Amino acid sequence: AVYMVSRLGVNNFTDYLIRLGFLSLESQRGSLGTGIALGNAEVSLFELVQAFSVFPRGGKYLDLSYRKKEKSERIIGTTVMEPYTAAIICSILSDRSSRWLGFGRGSAFRTDFPVMFKTGTANQFQDIWALGATPDYAAGVWMGNFSGETVIGRTGSSIPASIVREVLSLVR
């Protein structure tokens, strides 16, 4: 990922992320390096969820809504990614068998409906988070300490992932 960003150029990659809704990157523009590929820029959970929802929507960017859209409402998005590219990423992040090694078969990601997940931890595990999305819904959970102290001393992304799974199960 770092190699790819170095080839694309940090500014070009940053411009793309801004088109995906990461508006907080505007103010960080001068201090960003290739580490942006690994997540070393500060972004909000809202921005992560909004960008993550592009994949199961076939590359279409939509502003997030906190209410369920009525079926009669026409939802028009802006294409920010080729549908095929979005489908490949969605397929990778939806592959249940790929999660078994790290999280086990009975993991927090087990659902009876198709959903894609992504989790993460920050340095020293002061942040743990999870994202989940279907074509209709996206959810994200962050857990951490504002003081920067370690959350639980180990990767604990299955904890926020369990919450994301439950939220998506309730709204679908």
Side-chain angles (χ1 to χ4, degrees), residues 21-22 43-53 64 129 131:
F22 289 100
V43 298
S44 71
L45 181 62
F46 181 89
E47 291 170 322
L48 281 171
V49 172
Q50 187 161 260
F52 192 70
S53 70
L64 285 185
W129 55 268
L131 304 170

Side-chain angles (χ1 to χ4, degrees), residues 103-146:
F103 295 96
R105 288 183 187 257
S107 75
F109 307 104
R110 192 173 184 152
T111 63
D112 60 352
F113 57 94
V115 61
M116 60 183 287
F117 287 101
K118 178 69 181 101
T119 64
T121 57
N123 302 0
Q124 307 304 312
F125 311 110
Q126 71 258 28
D127 297 297
I128 54 176
W129 55 268
L131 304 170
T134 69
D136 296 318
Y137 299 100
V141 171
W142 168 84
M143 295 176 151
N145 297 307
F146 292 110

Side-chain angles (χ1 to χ4, degrees), residues 25 44 57 65 67 73 81 93 110 119 122 152 162:
L25 295 178
S44 71
R57 291 182 176 145
S65 171
R67 64 178 180 84
E73 288 185 66
M81 179 181 296
L93 295 176
R110 192 173 184 152
T119 64
I152 55 175
S162 296

Side-chain angles (χ1 to χ4, degrees), residues 48-166:
L48 281 171
V49 172
Q50 187 161 260
F52 192 70
S53 70
V54 166
F55 302 120
R57 291 182 176 145
K60 295 229 184 254
Y61 172 89
L62 299 169
D63 289 329
L64 285 185
S65 171
Y66 292 103
R67 64 178 180 84
K68 185 175 181 178
K69 300 278 187 195
E70 296 298 323
K71 293 290 182 191
S72 62
E73 288 185 66
R74 186 163 181 214
I75 301 172
I76 302 171
T78 304
T79 300
V80 293
M81 179 181 296
E82 291 295 324
Y84 182 72
T85 303
I88 289 171
I89 294 168
C90 192
S91 175
I92 291 167
L93 295 176
S94 299
D95 185 359
R96 294 176 183 178
S97 61
S98 294
R99 299 183 194 124
W100 292 346
L101 183 61
F103 295 96
R105 288 183 187 257
S107 75
F109 307 104
R110 192 173 184 152
T111 63
D112 60 352
F113 57 94
V115 61
M116 60 183 287
F117 287 101
K118 178 69 181 101
T119 64
T121 57
N123 302 0
Q124 307 304 312
F125 311 110
Q126 71 258 28
D127 297 297
I128 54 176
W129 55 268
L131 304 170
T134 69
D136 296 318
Y137 299 100
V141 171
W142 168 84
M143 295 176 151
N145 297 307
F146 292 110
S147 64
E149 294 175 50
T150 298
V151 177
I152 55 175
R154 59 184 167 84
T155 57
S157 295
S158 59
I159 300 167
S162 296
I163 297 168
V164 168
R165 182 197 65 226
E166 288 301 314

Side-chain angles (χ1 to χ4, degrees), residues 1-3 5 13 33-41 121 123 129:
V2 172
Y3 173 76
V5 168
F13 186 64
T34 55
I36 192 173
L38 303 176
N40 74 351
T121 57
N123 302 0
W129 55 268

